[in-house]
């Protein structure tokens, strides 16, 4: 259903060097929305399809939709947010388990598992258990490869991250802020956390269309020496101090380091490349922050380290692709024994409830 995705898209989960990394608890403030729907149910019961259908109806009604894509299968949805109605729908199952905070008031459960034919599935229990364990076993292997790739890169960057170089990164950020943040606000800024891509079964994705939808101009960071995160951290601090709302996008493999920064109020983006479609951004090369003699001394080692890191990442992406293939096998066991009329009824009921809510 990739063709059904339009507009603003993010990830809230990532396949990181430490395993599954989650931003789901920071997605929506349930004290400030009108309805939060946690959709429950196992493989193949139609959770993503329900959200796709609600999103399609919302777009046909002229509403904005924020899509949250699944890091395990980017063609599937883990959530959608409808700001005009203050409504969020989320896959409430592991590993991104989400529950309503104010059940019955603004929070509601949607049980798509009620559509399973349990009598038909019980004889398949051994196959279901084996298929479930098979796809889950792929993720630790992927994590190991991603962790090793990150370690190789960090070791190669270490010699370049001197006090002088870090000071240059801070100075460059100050120069960019002087150019781009000329007007400050009286109130405090606001930080929203989102992943803008990451390692998936389809390769390492970067949602460039989201950048284009939110920002008309900006900078592409060519980060050959791992200084992009430091530069972005200083920029983030400056825009927040200026009272702006920013969308801070951590590095999926290493979530304690920033990889992208969006300032929609200024239509401004700082995106770590390489980029394929956003070709009109200015270029910032972090290599320019490193002393020339140090760069020349470490250049060969950096190239070799990057080659090894890419090999490890390719192996990790292969494990993620295998996890997706095995999960497809699990869904194939379930799908013939699902009453999709139940999902369609739930979709119709939810859409009626959402339409009846007042606009925010």
């Amino acid at each position: 259903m990739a063709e059904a995705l339009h507009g603003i898209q993010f990830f809230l989960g990532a396949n990181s060097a430490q395993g599954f990394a989650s931003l789901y608890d920071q997605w929506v403030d349930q004290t400030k929305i009108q309805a939060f729907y946690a959709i429950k149910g196992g493989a193949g019961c139609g959770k993503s399809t329900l959200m796709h259908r609600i999103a399609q109806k919302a777009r046909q009604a002229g509403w904005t939709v924020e899509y949250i894509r699944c890091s395990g299968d980017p063609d599937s949805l883990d959530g959608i947010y409808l700001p005009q109605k203050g409504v969020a729908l989320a896959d409430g199952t592991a590993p991104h388990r989400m529950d309503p905070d104010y059940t019955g008031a603004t929070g509601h459960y949607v049980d798509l598992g009620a559509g399973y034919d349990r009598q038909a599935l019980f004889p398949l229990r051994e196959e279901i258990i084996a298929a479930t364990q098979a796809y889950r076993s792929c993720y630790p292997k992927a994590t190991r490869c991603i962790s090793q790739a990150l370690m190789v890169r960090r070791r190669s960057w270490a010699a370049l991250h001197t006090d002088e170089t870090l000071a240059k990164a801070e100075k460059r950020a100050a120069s960019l802020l002087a150019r781009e943040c000329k007007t400050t606000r009286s109130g405090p800024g606001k930080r929203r956390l989102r992943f803008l891509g990451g390692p998936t079964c389809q390769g390492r994705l970067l949602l460039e269309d989201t950048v284009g939808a939110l920002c008309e101009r900006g900078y592409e960071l060519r980060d050959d020496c791992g200084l992009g995160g430091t530069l972005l951290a200083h920029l983030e601090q400056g825009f927040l101090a200026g009272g702006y709302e920013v969308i801070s996008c951590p590095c999926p493999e290493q979530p304690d380091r920033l990889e992208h920064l969006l300032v929609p109020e200024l239509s401004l983006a700082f995106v770590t490349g390489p980029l394929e479609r956003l070709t009109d951004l200015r270029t910032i090369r972090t290599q320019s922050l490193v002393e020339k003699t140090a760069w020349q001394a470490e250049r060969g080692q950096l190239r070799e380290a990057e080659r090894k890191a890419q090999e490890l990442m390719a192996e990790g992406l292969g494990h993620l692709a295998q996890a997706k293939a095995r999960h497809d096998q699990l869904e194939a066991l379930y799908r013939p024994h699902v009453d999709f009329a139940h999902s369609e009824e739930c979709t119709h009921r939810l859409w009626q409830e959402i339409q009846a809510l007042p606009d925010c």
Side-chain angles (χ1 to χ4, degrees):
M1 291 190 177
E3 69 279 1
L5 293 176
H6 304 279
I8 302 168
Q9 309 168 35
F10 291 105
F11 292 92
L12 290 175
N15 298 296
S16 81
Q18 292 78 41
F20 183 74
S22 174
L23 300 176
Y24 286 88
D25 61 338
Q26 302 182 54
W27 179 33
V28 292
D29 183 348
Q30 292 192 41
T31 66
K32 296 180 180 178
I33 63 177
Q34 298 197 84
F36 178 85
Y37 295 96
I39 306 170
K40 300 289 186 177
C45 69
K47 299 186 297 294
S48 178
T49 300
L50 182 152
M51 288 186 279
H52 271 288
R53 288 174 175 168
I54 295 292
Q56 184 180 30
K57 291 176 183 294
R59 286 182 58 83
Q60 289 172 348
W63 304 347
T64 300
V65 179
E66 178 182 324
Y67 295 86
I68 302 301
R69 296 173 67 170
C70 173
S71 60
D73 176 10
D75 288 343
S76 293
L77 290 176
D78 278 349
I80 59 171
Y81 177 59
L82 312 176
Q84 276 91 342
K85 292 292 184 178
V87 172
L89 294 84
D91 181 338
T93 59
H96 36 68
R97 186 173 288 110
M98 298 183 70
D99 290 291
D101 289 336
Y102 310 103
T103 309
T106 59
H108 315 285
Y109 288 101
V110 181
D111 181 14
L112 294 190
Y116 287 135
D117 182 345
R118 292 187 292 179
Q119 289 185 336
L121 289 171
F122 183 72
L124 301 176
R125 62 191 181 280
E126 297 295 340
E127 294 175 74
I128 289 172
I129 291 170
T132 300
Q133 293 177 342
Y135 94 80
R136 289 178 178 172
S137 70
C138 297
Y139 285 103
K141 299 173 187 176
T143 297
R144 173 182 54 80
C145 294
I146 294 170
S147 177
Q148 291 175 350
L150 179 62
M151 188 180 302
V152 168
R153 284 180 174 138
R154 291 176 69 176
R155 285 175 176 172
S156 71
W157 297 335
L160 302 177
H161 292 191
T162 63
D163 290 343
E164 181 181 358
T165 299
L166 296 176
K168 285 184 178 179
E170 184 175 5
K171 185 177 180 180
R172 183 62 187 278
S175 175
L176 288 165
L177 287 166
R179 176 190 300 168
E180 301 291 356
C181 189
K182 296 178 181 178
T183 303
T184 59
R185 314 284 182 80
S186 58
K190 180 180 178 181
R191 183 184 193 230
R192 288 195 287 155
L193 284 174
R194 302 285 190 273
F195 290 117
L196 196 57
T200 77
C201 63
Q202 298 178 4
R204 195 181 194 280
L205 299 186
L206 175 59
L207 301 177
E208 294 184 42
D209 289 346
T210 296
V211 179
L214 293 172
C215 304
E216 296 179 352
R217 62 192 183 88
Y219 300 81
E220 177 188 358
L221 275 64
R222 301 285 182 88
D223 190 21
D224 295 327
C225 47
L227 288 166
T230 301
L231 181 66
L232 290 171
H234 289 302
L235 289 170
E236 177 193 54
Q237 184 179 11
F239 284 114
L240 289 173
Y244 288 94
E245 178 174 316
V246 302
I247 302 175
S248 301
C249 304
C251 171
E253 294 89 345
Q254 184 184 353
D256 61 350
R257 179 170 65 91
L258 286 182
E259 188 168 66
H260 316 286
L261 183 68
L262 310 180
V263 193
E265 292 174 273
L266 297 175
S267 199
L268 178 66
F270 298 87
V271 187
T272 300
L275 303 175
E276 295 181 357
R277 295 184 298 281
L278 297 174
T279 58
D280 56 347
L281 303 185
R282 297 183 181 184
T283 301
I284 298 174
R285 298 182 183 275
T286 59
Q287 171 190 339
S288 65
L289 303 172
V290 178
E291 190 176 340
K292 188 174 182 180
T293 55
W295 175 258
Q296 291 175 340
E298 299 293 334
R299 186 169 50 186
Q301 181 182 341
L302 284 168
R303 281 200 298 262
E304 178 61 20
E306 183 58 25
R307 183 189 65 79
K308 291 180 180 178
Q310 288 185 9
E311 288 179 355
L312 287 164
M313 281 298 301
E315 183 180 349
L317 294 173
H319 290 303
L320 293 177
Q322 190 174 40
K324 170 62 168 62
R326 291 180 173 179
H327 192 271
D328 287 347
Q329 293 171 358
L330 176 65
E331 288 194 337
L333 291 171
Y334 275 101
R335 198 170 291 114
H337 310 293
V338 177
D339 178 10
F340 289 107
H342 173 68
S343 174
E344 292 173 3
E345 290 171 6
C346 289
T347 302
H348 178 74
R349 174 175 57 81
L350 292 185
W351 178 241
Q352 294 300 314
E353 290 181 11
I354 292 167
Q355 279 187 304
L357 291 170
D359 291 345
C360 292

